[in-house]
Amino acid sequence: MKTPIRVAVTGAAGQIGYSLLFRIASGAMFGPEQPVILHLIEIEPALPALNGVVMELQDCAFPLLKGIVATADLNAGFKDVNWALLVGSVPRKQGMERKDLLSINGKIFTGQGKAIAANAAKDVRIFVVGNPCNTNCLIAMNNAKSIPSDRWFAMTMLDQNRAVTQLAMKAGVDTTEVKNLAIWGNHSSTMYPDYFNAKIGGKPATEVIKHEIWFKDTFIPTVQQRGAAIIKARGLSSAASAANAVVDTVRNLVNPTPAGTCFSVGVCSDGSYGIEKGLIYSFPIVSDGKNWKIVQGVEINEFSREKMTATENELKEEKAMVAELL
Ligand code: NAX
């Protein structure tokens, strides 16, 4: 049996946590041979609810689950962890400006960044889900300078999965036929699902779906507004699909990417495609199971460039709003 890896999840008593933890413990994230110890981190008032989640995890008798730490203490929570999945954050309330949300959540992520740097395992990788996830990731990364910048990630896989399904449904094919649908930029309504470079059954998506107006007027807005549509229908934000995207992202990072394909995740920009260095920006990525790189040479037409710049500008604005936390 392999040595267990330690996986911290913040906001563990929340909606996403309730779907995510059981999938990690079942082996869906790290595979059927990899035991795990879960570190569940919550704020003090949520500890009783978290205790209920712990009891349910125990009641699954998962063979791969070798221990549970449930705590509101960040030092204990991040002690020796190999992965930190930062899901918990404060949701936007009515009347709250984006700046207010950035500032409230920003303070959470300065503290968590520092605690991760002080306590986590040498190989720790950090994946931010709590919104605004790109900028929260930027804040945590800048408060944990001892951890290399290639270990920080922000989630755009839910956007990718949403986009893949929309293309598959329109083309009348299985989702497995859709490849290389990259999300560029911020996880917000400005993110850009790059249909020009997507393939359906090995052919350019724009050759299979010969309907330029559909891509611009239906596809992009549907993907960009999907989160809001789910809130409207369910009265709650996406949770199971978000947890699924967390599993997909980590699995994509810890396994070699199949040849000729890529996946989307927010990473620290190295200036590729002219995107400002240091921003947490979603690119098409490939992994060898240990290291990842940004796919180079993707064709960028005028329309794509305009969209990529718009979402980059939003990230620059967010960065400026939290400048004092960096
Ligand atoms: P919930 O409100 O159900 O749960 C959040 C949990 O975080 C709560 O239990 C709360 O007590 C806890 N929490 C708050 N502050 C904390 C702190 N400082 N330390 C530890 N825990 C803390 O939200 P849920 O639906 O689970 O969503 C969690 C986050 O994911 C939200 O910020 C949400 O906006 C974000 N999402 C991000 C997505 C993405 O694609 N990047 C998609 C889904 C989701 O909207």
Side-chain angles (χ1 to χ4, degrees):
M1 195 46 118
K2 290 185 183 171
T3 312
I5 54 170
R6 291 179 181 270
V7 184
V9 179
T10 68
Q15 282 204 94
I16 295 176
Y18 194 68
S19 287
L20 176 62
L21 300 175
F22 298 85
R23 296 198 58 198
I24 302 174
S26 73
M29 186 176 270
F30 296 103
E33 306 291 324
Q34 179 59 64
V36 293
I37 296 172
L38 286 173
H39 287 228
L40 311 182
I41 304 175
E42 260 297 347
I43 47 172
E44 208 76 47
L47 287 180
L50 183 61
N51 190 37
V53 178
V54 171
M55 287 192 277
E56 285 208 63
L57 280 166
Q58 291 166 337
D59 293 350
C60 294
F62 285 118
L64 291 170
L65 183 56
K66 299 303 179 195
I68 302 173
V69 176
T71 183
D73 179 277
L74 291 183
N75 293 322
F78 290 123
K79 187 79 194 140
D80 298 332
V81 300
N82 309 98
W83 274 92
L85 310 178
L86 308 185
V87 179
S89 68
V90 174
R92 188 164 175 170
K93 301 195 183 81
Q94 237 183 350
M96 211 188 250
E97 297 290 328
R98 193 153 58 115
K99 193 173 173 28
D100 303 328
L101 185 70
L102 279 164
S103 142
I104 293 168
N105 281 315
K107 292 195 187 88
I108 296 176
F109 288 86
T110 54
Q112 292 185 352
K114 289 190 173 104
I116 292 167
N119 294 285
K122 286 263 169 294
D123 66 352
V124 67
R125 282 185 268 182
I126 305 94
F127 181 33
V128 182
V129 177
N131 279 323
C133 65
N134 298 55
T135 297
N136 287 341
C137 183
L138 180 83
I139 294 168
M141 181 179 81
N142 278 280
N143 282 274
K145 295 254 164 67
S146 57
I147 302 174
S149 58
D150 65 354
R151 309 264 200 85
W152 298 85
F153 306 97
M155 185 157 99
T156 52
M157 180 57 78
L158 180 54
D159 307 302
Q160 176 182 315
N161 285 341
R162 287 167 171 167
V164 163
T165 299
Q166 292 304 316
L167 290 186
M169 289 196 308
K170 180 72 178 171
V173 300
D174 198 85
T175 52
T176 54
E177 295 288 313
V178 182
K179 308 269 189 230
N180 292 0
L181 190 290
I183 302 295
W184 297 90
N186 198 5
H187 169 68
S188 78
S189 58
T190 65
M191 58 88 191
Y192 171 49
D194 181 0
Y195 60 90
F196 288 107
N197 289 294
K199 296 260 165 41
I200 301 177
K203 292 195 194 128
T206 48
E207 271 179 31
V208 178
I209 302 168
K210 291 194 176 78
H211 196 176
E212 183 67 21
I213 298 297
W214 177 81
F215 283 108
K216 290 188 173 146
D217 290 359
T218 306
F219 170 71
I220 294 182
T222 301
V223 177
Q224 288 178 334
Q225 301 302 329
R226 188 68 162 183
I230 285 168
I231 293 175
K232 193 162 171 235
R234 224 170 72 86
L236 289 166
S237 58
S238 340
S241 56
N244 178 65
V246 179
V247 173
D248 280 352
T249 308
V250 175
R251 215 171 33 198
N252 277 320
L253 286 166
V254 300
N255 289 294
T257 311
T261 67
C262 62
F263 62 95
S264 312
V265 63
V267 296
C268 182
S269 170
D270 61 355
S272 289
Y273 297 95
I275 302 303
E276 182 175 290
K277 242 178 155 170
L279 287 179
I280 301 290
Y281 190 97
S282 180
F283 290 97
I285 299 290
V286 289
S287 172
D288 64 8
K290 285 204 161 54
N291 301 303
W292 57 266
K293 56 184 189 208
I294 296 171
V295 177
Q296 299 298 329
V298 174
E299 213 177 300
I300 308 296
N301 62 22
E302 211 179 305
F303 180 81
S304 297
R305 175 54 68 190
E306 200 182 293
K307 297 280 177 202
M308 286 162 66
T309 303
T311 188
E312 179 190 13
N313 285 342
E314 185 181 51
L315 283 168
K316 286 183 186 166
E317 279 168 30
E318 290 185 11
K319 183 180 175 186
M321 286 180 198
V322 299
E324 76 281 8
L325 302 175
L326 303 179

